[in-house]
Amino acid sequence: MNIFRFLADLSHMASIVILILQIRKTKSAAGVSYKTQFLYALVFVTRYIDIFFHYVSLYNTFMKIFFVTSTIYILYLMRVQYKPSHDPNIDTFRIEYIIAPSAVLALIINHGYTLYEILWSFSVWLESGAILPQLFMLQRTGEAETLTVHYIFALGIYRLLYIPNWIYRYVTEGRVEPIAFLASLIQTALYSDFFYIYYTKVMQGKKFELP
Amino acid sequence: SGDKADHDEL
């Protein structure tokens, strides 16, 4: 494991921890998109189904369990514990527009026509668009809690760092993963606007407000 | 590696 991948996984973990702490501390899930969290839960469940038959390492297994359980815990916090704080009226992105194209892409572009490979490909495409409801919600409200902004930033950094990881692995191991590489490029592009505003506002101590 | 899928990442 190289440094890019390790830091990527850490920032991915950090993003989830930030989100859980925010919801618990403020006893509110205001500003957090339930739809995005639901899509991530779907991403993890469809991708990590291999936990039962494909052992990689203790690290890998531990992280898979962490991502699945922590995301389902967020769904629980939003749906049960702090339900009144979440306003579905501003979380209006149609998730069919992400799920359907991901399913089509998974059927066309995959590593083989087995249930496992199709689900894996589906999860990769789905992940590339899963942040859209959250970004859409941010655009509707125009501003966000600092922690929500840090959450999205940490998530963007995670995806960005996987790109140098794949370049590094291509150079040192000759390993190629075109599906994940392409999906990650798309995903990082979706964050570019957000990164720009984060840099120009949040980095200078200002409130996150859209122009 | 290369052609064969090797999903060892998260």
Side-chain angles (χ1 to χ4, degrees):
Chain A
M1 170 135 62
N2 61 67
I3 189 76
F4 302 112
R5 197 165 136 203
F6 185 58
L7 289 178
D9 291 343
L10 283 190
S11 65
H12 193 187
M13 235 178 162
S15 74
I16 293 173
V17 171
I18 287 170
L19 195 62
I20 291 174
L21 290 180
Q22 174 187 5
I23 296 173
R24 288 182 58 114
K25 194 179 146 206
T26 60
K27 298 192 190 319
S28 160
V32 181
S33 166
Y34 182 84
K35 289 183 173 176
T36 283
Q37 295 308 314
F38 171 79
L39 290 177
Y40 280 131
L42 193 57
V43 165
F44 294 139
V45 169
T46 50
R47 187 177 309 163
Y48 299 158
I49 197 91
D50 71 345
I51 201 168
F52 299 110
F53 56 86
H54 176 225
Y55 179 78
V56 178
S57 65
L58 196 61
Y59 169 84
N60 188 279
T61 302
F62 171 80
M63 294 299 254
K64 283 174 177 170
I65 293 171
F66 171 82
F67 288 127
V68 171
T69 53
S70 59
T71 308
I72 289 172
Y73 178 61
I74 292 171
L75 293 182
Y76 163 78
L77 287 178
M78 296 188 76
R79 199 79 183 197
V80 182
Q81 191 104 24
Y82 303 119
K83 190 178 195 309
S85 67
H86 178 253
D87 183 4
N89 294 319
I90 52 168
D91 192 9
T92 51
F93 196 91
R94 299 279 297 267
I95 57 171
E96 305 91 293
Y97 293 150
I98 305 167
I99 295 177
S102 300
V104 172
L105 282 169
L107 288 172
I108 302 170
I109 309 168
N110 55 53
H111 285 295
Y113 283 92
T114 62
L115 183 63
Y116 168 53
E117 289 297 347
I118 289 168
L119 282 178
W120 182 86
S121 179
F122 172 72
S123 81
V124 169
W125 296 113
L126 189 65
E127 186 183 359
S128 70
I131 196 65
L132 281 173
Q134 180 67 64
L135 292 177
F136 190 67
M137 199 167 157
L138 207 61
Q139 205 170 45
R140 284 196 66 164
T141 51
E143 58 173 59
E145 291 261 0
T146 312
L147 275 171
T148 310
V149 173
H150 288 333
Y151 160 71
I152 302 170
F153 182 77
L155 212 52
I157 291 296
Y158 140 64
R159 233 34 242 188
L160 184 67
L161 281 170
Y162 257 90
I163 296 171
N165 160 53
W166 291 319
I167 295 169
Y168 184 90
R169 292 192 73 178
Y170 172 68
V171 174
T172 59
E173 303 166 34
R175 183 189 190 273
V176 187
E177 181 44 82
I179 298 174
F181 186 77
L182 180 61
S184 204
L185 286 182
I186 295 170
Q187 194 177 357
T188 308
L190 293 180
Y191 281 92
S192 57
D193 236 25
F194 174 84
F195 279 145
Y196 177 75
I197 300 166
Y198 187 92
Y199 178 74
T200 54
K201 297 227 169 158
V202 183
M203 294 283 272
Q204 285 152 25
K206 292 184 201 152
K207 201 169 160 49
F208 185 91
E209 248 178 87
L210 292 169
Chain B
S1 63
D3 312 308
K4 199 181 151 288
D6 175 22
H7 306 310
D8 65 346
E9 294 177 344
L10 297 159

